[in-house]
Amino acid sequence: MLKEVRCAIYTRKSNEDGLEQKFNSLDAQRVACEKYIKSKEGWVALAKRYDDGGFSGKNLERPAIKELFEDVKAGEVDCVVVYTLDRLSRETKDSIEVTSFFRRHRVNFIAVTQIFDNNTPMGKFVQTVLSGAAQLEREMIVERVKNKIATSKEQGLWMGGTLPLGYDVKDKELIINEKEAKTVKHIFERYMELRSMAELARELNREGHRTKRFEAKSGKVYGGEIFKKATVRRIITNPIYMGKTRHYEKQYEGKHEAIIEEEKWKKAQELIKNQPYRRAKYEEALLKGIIKCKSCNANMTLTYAKKENKRYRYYVCNNHLVGKSCESKSRNIVAGEVEKEVMKKAKQLYENWEEKEAKKEKWENLSFGQQKEVVKKLIKGVMVKEDGIEVSSEDKVEFILMNLKKKGNKCTVVEPEGKTNNALLKAVVRAYLWKRQLEEGKYESVKELSVKISIGTRRIQQILRLNYLAPKIKEDIVNGRQPSNLRLVDLREIPMLWSEQMEKFYKLAS
């Protein structure tokens, strides 16, 4: 008697169109697979469905396929059956990895319209060719869609996306929502007066204004939330309000009616551009063209990293960026820290700069755009070394010590010695205060203290251990004389002997 072969049928459709129908694309794929299974003696289709409706084949981030992988690992599947290979994946690499995963777990794989034996060299070659064809097709579809969007936007058409406040959509065209348009005009007018997006956001929320609320085709409702600084920025910088459409950096005349006059919109952009340096977090590279890696004399380029919805800016050595040799340990440096030091130097040079023209403005009264021009005029070069930067002006080169400490695959700028580390200082003060409160009986236990101040008992106990620090270390932390790269995380484990503490924590500076 033949051994029963348990077959899992996997189906996928890239979008949700038509899935609400009684017999849809997923059902059609399943029926074809079931017919193939019935034609094989001893093969049985599992009742459990592995359907990914509305999921692209560009990656494996799909719930049903992940569930299938788990069942394969658990030994509940003998064979995986799909309609075509591209239902499994449209990426060659993913397709090969998945079928290799099946082989490792002794699970057969069948694409019913593309029969081949992927256990033989020829079968593996055929699979690679078919997977490559599927990937090429997906990339060509993506390219065609991109070109269609670009062409449509050049013609000023609305191509969907998040519906902007002040407009509704009718027959795929934007029409003005008069009530919301008044709010948009109010936002532009108040920004010109307040010159602060954060303050404007708070004011809008106090007045009861909310973001655009709309319902998607799926029935899900979006928006209707409070204004944030980023929300206000998106509105003020959106050229759609002056009757234009935007595609990347280019703007085109739109088919819709404008809410804001073009002149007023441009004035708002000029205000944003000239905001003080401390608010210009996402400005273009201040040191573009003048910052270099001392080790290989290559220019450094501004790059970005995103983590937990926050954007971090780094200058990266160009040789390192393209995979060429660079021996420097400071190939990646935090942009903001270096820019601040260069700005300080530019300020000193500016204040001592003898202008032949009329008396110059004070540095503090200059807009950020004007300060950038000063940097370009007075700073001739910035060389990044292992332990700091060399800033060159017309008459001299000055070295600024900036300890660059390796952290993961990035470099972080560490404050020079003699500066207070607020996190360390706060922790030492807390340790002393909590210890005294516990000794005096204000709190009977760490648990009671934890409940009162809403901090976990484990965290409190970690802070209390700082009371065992050597007096010299505590004194240095209070006076800002601790080793420049000593961090609170380094004090999680504190040796009992003061001499061992000094040896452990102070050698960090070497």
Side-chain angles (χ1 to χ4, degrees), residues 185-241:
K185 290 177 181 177
H186 174 71
I187 288 171
F188 273 84
E189 287 167 4
R190 288 298 291 153
Y191 177 68
M192 305 285 273
E193 296 168 6
L194 295 173
R195 302 191 177 198
S196 169
M197 294 183 189
E199 190 176 337
L200 176 53
R202 288 191 290 269
E203 182 180 281
L204 291 168
N205 293 330
R206 284 197 303 269
E207 292 173 353
H209 294 289
R210 294 294 180 263
T211 60
K212 176 77 176 181
R213 189 176 186 276
F214 64 97
E215 186 176 331
K217 287 182 179 179
S218 62
K220 189 174 180 179
V221 177
Y222 295 90
E225 300 170 350
I226 63 171
F227 279 87
K228 298 176 182 177
K229 181 180 175 180
T231 319
V232 174
R233 173 178 279 274
R234 280 196 295 271
I235 291 173
I236 295 173
T237 58
N238 195 343
I240 207 159
Y241 292 114

Side-chain angles (χ1 to χ4, degrees), residues 20 25 33 42 48 99 107 116 141 159 186 189 196 207 225 231 262 281 328 335 346 365 407 425 439 447 457 506:
E20 72 284 352
S25 174
C33 293
K48 186 175 182 179
T99 50
V107 169
F116 56 88
I141 291 170
M159 292 303 295
H186 174 71
E189 287 167 4
S196 169
E207 292 173 353
E225 300 170 350
T231 319
E262 186 170 342
K281 291 198 294 185
S328 174
N365 294 335
K407 185 179 181 182
L425 179 59
E439 287 174 347
K447 188 174 182 180
T457 55
Y506 277 65

Side-chain angles (χ1 to χ4, degrees), residues 53-107:
F55 288 91
S56 169
K58 67 180 180 180
N59 57 47
L60 298 174
E61 292 301 314
R62 297 171 246 150
I65 202 166
K66 286 183 178 179
E67 192 174 354
L68 174 60
F69 293 161
E70 292 302 318
D71 289 348
V72 167
K73 286 179 185 177
E76 297 174 5
V77 177
D78 300 314
C79 181
V80 174
V81 181
V82 297
Y83 183 66
T84 55
L85 185 61
D86 63 5
R87 296 305 86 195
L88 187 68
S89 175
R90 282 189 178 271
E91 287 289 331
T92 306
K93 177 175 173 290
D94 288 343
S95 180
I96 292 172
E97 283 185 359
V98 171
T99 50
S100 296
F101 166 78
F102 291 154
R103 278 199 300 274
R104 288 197 303 274
H105 288 83
R106 297 183 180 181
V107 169

Side-chain angles (χ1 to χ4, degrees), residues 182-355:
K182 288 180 181 177
T183 304
V184 172
K185 290 177 181 177
H186 174 71
I187 288 171
F188 273 84
E189 287 167 4
R190 288 298 291 153
Y191 177 68
M192 305 285 273
E193 296 168 6
L194 295 173
R195 302 191 177 198
S196 169
M197 294 183 189
E199 190 176 337
L200 176 53
R202 288 191 290 269
E203 182 180 281
L204 291 168
N205 293 330
R206 284 197 303 269
E207 292 173 353
H209 294 289
R210 294 294 180 263
T211 60
K212 176 77 176 181
R213 189 176 186 276
F214 64 97
E215 186 176 331
K217 287 182 179 179
S218 62
K220 189 174 180 179
V221 177
Y222 295 90
E225 300 170 350
I226 63 171
F227 279 87
K228 298 176 182 177
K229 181 180 175 180
T231 319
V232 174
R233 173 178 279 274
R234 280 196 295 271
I235 291 173
I236 295 173
T237 58
N238 195 343
I240 207 159
Y241 292 114
M242 62 166 175
K244 295 183 183 290
T245 59
R246 176 169 57 194
H247 188 61
Y248 293 105
E249 300 301 318
K250 294 182 179 180
Q251 295 178 6
Y252 305 99
E253 288 296 328
K255 299 290 186 183
H256 61 282
E257 190 179 344
I259 294 176
I260 303 296
E261 300 85 355
E262 186 170 342
E263 185 180 350
K264 182 181 283 188
W265 188 86
K266 287 182 177 178
K267 280 183 179 179
Q269 309 318 300
E270 193 64 30
L271 273 178
I272 294 171
K273 184 180 177 182
N274 291 326
Q275 285 296 300
Y277 178 70
R278 63 183 178 276
R279 294 181 186 172
K281 291 198 294 185
Y282 303 132
E283 286 288 342
E284 289 303 314
L286 175 70
L287 307 180
K288 184 179 180 181
I290 63 173
I291 186 168
K292 288 189 173 185
C293 172
K294 181 75 172 179
S295 178
C296 59
N297 201 39
N299 286 332
M300 299 187 81
T301 300
L302 186 72
T303 61
Y304 300 91
K306 199 167 185 180
K307 186 177 180 182
E308 295 176 355
N309 295 323
K310 290 184 179 179
R311 189 164 73 158
Y312 300 91
R313 303 161 64 245
Y314 297 90
Y315 283 107
V316 181
C317 169
N318 279 0
N319 279 343
H320 177 56
L321 202 60
V322 297
K324 292 183 180 178
S325 175
C326 176
E327 296 179 358
S328 174
K329 293 179 181 177
S330 304
R331 294 171 297 190
N332 298 24
I333 59 170
V334 178
E337 297 296 328
V338 176
E339 289 173 351
K340 283 178 188 175
E341 294 300 324
V342 175
M343 267 294 197
K344 287 178 188 176
K345 183 59 185 171
K347 179 183 177 183
Q348 292 172 8
L349 293 170
Y350 177 78
E351 289 171 347
N352 297 325
W353 185 28
E354 293 295 333
E355 277 265 272

